[in-house]
Amino acid sequence: MGKRTRQAESVTERVPQLAAPYVQAVAEALERHGEQPGALLPVLHAIQDALGFVPEGAVAPIAEALNLTRADVHGVVSFYHEFRRTPPARHSLRLCRAEACQAMGARALERHACERLGIHDDTHRSADGTIDFEPVYCLGNCALAPAGLVDGELRGRLTPKALDTVIDAMRADCRNIA
Ligand code: FES
């Protein structure tokens, strides 16, 4: 039996309720990074890279494997905003809120996006659940402000019209796979 299979079985034994597709990702992250000093962050990043988030059920096996408490692992997952605790939406839209982009109308652009996405509170997901929307702070694309990330791809000189096109395309994609 290979090391990876044993690692996955070990994770399954520790948290039988962890969904099967997640077990392998957690096992692989622990196998790859579990022995290194300060392993927690690399393990969490590897899980997030593989799944798009860190499942609640991953906390226990990570804590046990790294000889930490569950509270330690929880604390780190909740402290760093980059770690998601729920599965991501199919698409993501991030708009820069930093100074150069603000000077070029980023706030108005954000209001426009929230209106189009049906976001009227602190949630970061469109009303139809298809698009995650989050602010970012300087993408290094200030010369082309206002800037944003469309499914991780850097865009510049964004306008309400350009955003409408992006949002329409994302929604059309979701309709096509429904
Ligand atoms: S301020 Fe927005 S990309 Fe730099």
Side-chain angles (χ1 to χ4, degrees):
M1 184 186 297
K3 186 179 175 192
R4 179 165 299 183
T5 308
R6 280 198 306 278
Q7 183 74 273
E9 283 187 354
S10 165
V11 171
T12 308
E13 283 160 16
R14 287 174 189 147
V15 230
Q17 77 274 22
L18 190 61
Y22 302 156
V23 169
Q24 197 64 34
V26 174
E28 285 179 7
L30 287 170
E31 181 192 328
R32 207 172 324 135
H33 303 287
E35 301 293 324
Q36 69 190 71
L40 180 54
L41 280 174
V43 165
L44 292 173
H45 277 293
I47 293 169
Q48 170 123 332
D49 287 347
L51 301 175
F53 76 116
V54 179
E56 180 64 31
V59 169
I62 293 170
E64 192 171 326
L66 302 184
N67 205 20
L68 299 167
T69 66
R70 292 182 189 197
D72 290 333
V73 179
H74 256 303
V76 170
V77 174
S78 7
F79 180 77
Y80 292 102
H81 292 298
E82 68 211 75
F83 292 128
R84 299 185 55 91
R85 296 157 83 181
T86 53
R90 181 169 172 80
H91 292 287
S92 76
L93 177 59
R94 309 182 85 184
L95 292 182
C96 179
R97 266 189 195 172
E99 201 173 324
C101 285
Q102 280 205 40
M104 296 301 287
R107 285 294 187 172
L109 200 58
E110 187 174 329
R111 281 195 295 276
H112 178 81
C114 286
E115 192 61 39
R116 281 298 316 274
L117 296 172
I119 295 174
H120 301 293
D121 51 26
D122 269 351
T123 56
H124 295 287
R125 184 159 292 178
S126 61
D128 63 4
T130 58
I131 302 168
D132 281 336
F133 176 72
E134 289 174 277
V136 285
Y137 295 89
C138 196
L139 297 162
N141 199 30
C142 319
L144 296 178
L149 292 170
V150 174
D151 284 335
E153 183 185 305
L154 187 61
R155 298 282 183 89
R157 298 224 164 96
L158 286 169
T159 61
K161 190 161 183 263
L163 276 190
D164 286 348
T165 303
V166 162
I167 291 168
D168 288 346
M170 288 174 169
R171 286 182 165 151
D173 170 62
C174 290
R175 275 196 300 277
N176 289 340
I177 59 143

